[in-house]
Amino acid sequence: MARLHLFDLDGTLLRGTTSPVEISRQLGLEAEARALDEAISAGLIGPPEYAARVHALWSGLTEAHVTAAFDGAPWLERIREVWAEIRRQGGYCAVVSLSPSFFVEKLLDWGAHAAHGSRFPAVPFTEPVDPTGVLSAAAKVEIADRLCAEFGVTRADCVAYGDSLSDRDLFGAVPVSVAVNADSHLSGLATHSYLGGDLWEAYELVRHDR
């Protein structure tokens, strides 16, 4: 039976950072983005407010900034190799993140079958963020269910990889999970735990689990 591997982005595929921080660095606004990351991690603001505030930070954002942020980000090693192996085994890999869709979707070029993020307007911005398109922890489970239907698998065939509070709901919904460089919000929830910089090593923990 095929398996669906569901990957978080910020703090998981990206080690020690988030895509909004990497994007904001290109604009000289890294400190402001880190403050927003701390606020949402602490539960002081929710995803819609977070999205609106990073959107406001990025009034001067261009596609060149986004590309530079993506290309220069501290990705885990061997992401593309893991996804190629999952494909070779007849499985599926998807990225589901609260981060902006225009960044998340770049991972389709690395071999992901699907990539879902919070819907932001096209860059450069000429309109606000629609809060109904901003994802939440619960939305990750809803997207996982839609992907299961699309790929002909069930939750029982899913593996989740994540690092923080936004992954708790998904970890509770699937039978196998890997906490990757995770914070305390996932303590005791994950099937496996990985600390390091190589996605292949994290994948090896679940490669033969059924």
Side-chain angles (χ1 to χ4, degrees), residues 93-149:
C93 41
V95 183
V96 185
S97 170
L98 274 59
S99 276
S101 53
F102 60 75
F103 191 94
V104 180
E105 289 167 3
K106 286 182 173 291
L107 289 165
L108 292 170
D109 291 338
W110 284 16
H113 288 88
H116 293 270
S118 293
R119 290 198 305 274
F120 270 62
V123 175
F125 299 143
T126 58
E127 55 189 88
V129 176
D130 179 353
T132 64
V134 177
L135 300 189
S136 63
K140 285 191 171 188
V141 180
E142 295 170 4
I143 291 170
D145 285 340
R146 293 204 303 269
L147 291 171
C148 284

Side-chain angles (χ1 to χ4, degrees), residues 5-9 12-13 82-83 86 92-97 140 159-162 167 170 199 203:
H5 296 255
L6 300 156
F7 297 89
D8 173 55
L9 173 62
T12 304
L13 298 178
V82 168
W83 293 351
I86 290 170
Y92 303 95
C93 41
V95 183
V96 185
S97 170
K140 285 191 171 188
V159 182
Y161 304 74
D167 303 300
L170 187 57
L199 186 61
Y203 171 62

Side-chain angles (χ1 to χ4, degrees), residues 29-175:
L29 297 168
E30 179 182 353
E32 290 85 346
R34 288 196 181 278
L36 288 175
D37 278 4
E38 291 171 4
I40 194 169
S41 294
L44 300 177
I45 60 175
E49 182 178 352
Y50 178 90
R53 291 175 67 174
V54 293
H55 176 275
L57 274 186
W58 297 340
S59 60
L61 189 64
T62 66
E63 186 58 39
H65 291 129
V66 177
T67 299
F70 185 90
D71 291 345
W75 298 99
L76 291 187
E77 296 177 12
R78 296 200 281 181
I79 294 173
R80 280 169 279 200
E81 289 85 348
V82 168
W83 293 351
E85 176 63 14
I86 290 170
R87 283 176 172 268
R88 193 184 71 80
Q89 295 287 344
Y92 303 95
C93 41
V95 183
V96 185
S97 170
L98 274 59
S99 276
S101 53
F102 60 75
F103 191 94
V104 180
E105 289 167 3
K106 286 182 173 291
L107 289 165
L108 292 170
D109 291 338
W110 284 16
H113 288 88
H116 293 270
S118 293
R119 290 198 305 274
F120 270 62
V123 175
F125 299 143
T126 58
E127 55 189 88
V129 176
D130 179 353
T132 64
V134 177
L135 300 189
S136 63
K140 285 191 171 188
V141 180
E142 295 170 4
I143 291 170
D145 285 340
R146 293 204 303 269
L147 291 171
C148 284
E150 178 180 345
F151 297 133
V153 299
T154 70
R155 286 188 186 183
D157 305 308
C158 291
V159 182
Y161 304 74
D163 75 303
S164 65
L165 182 62
S166 71
D167 303 300
R168 281 181 62 94
D169 288 9
L170 187 57
F171 273 39
V174 303

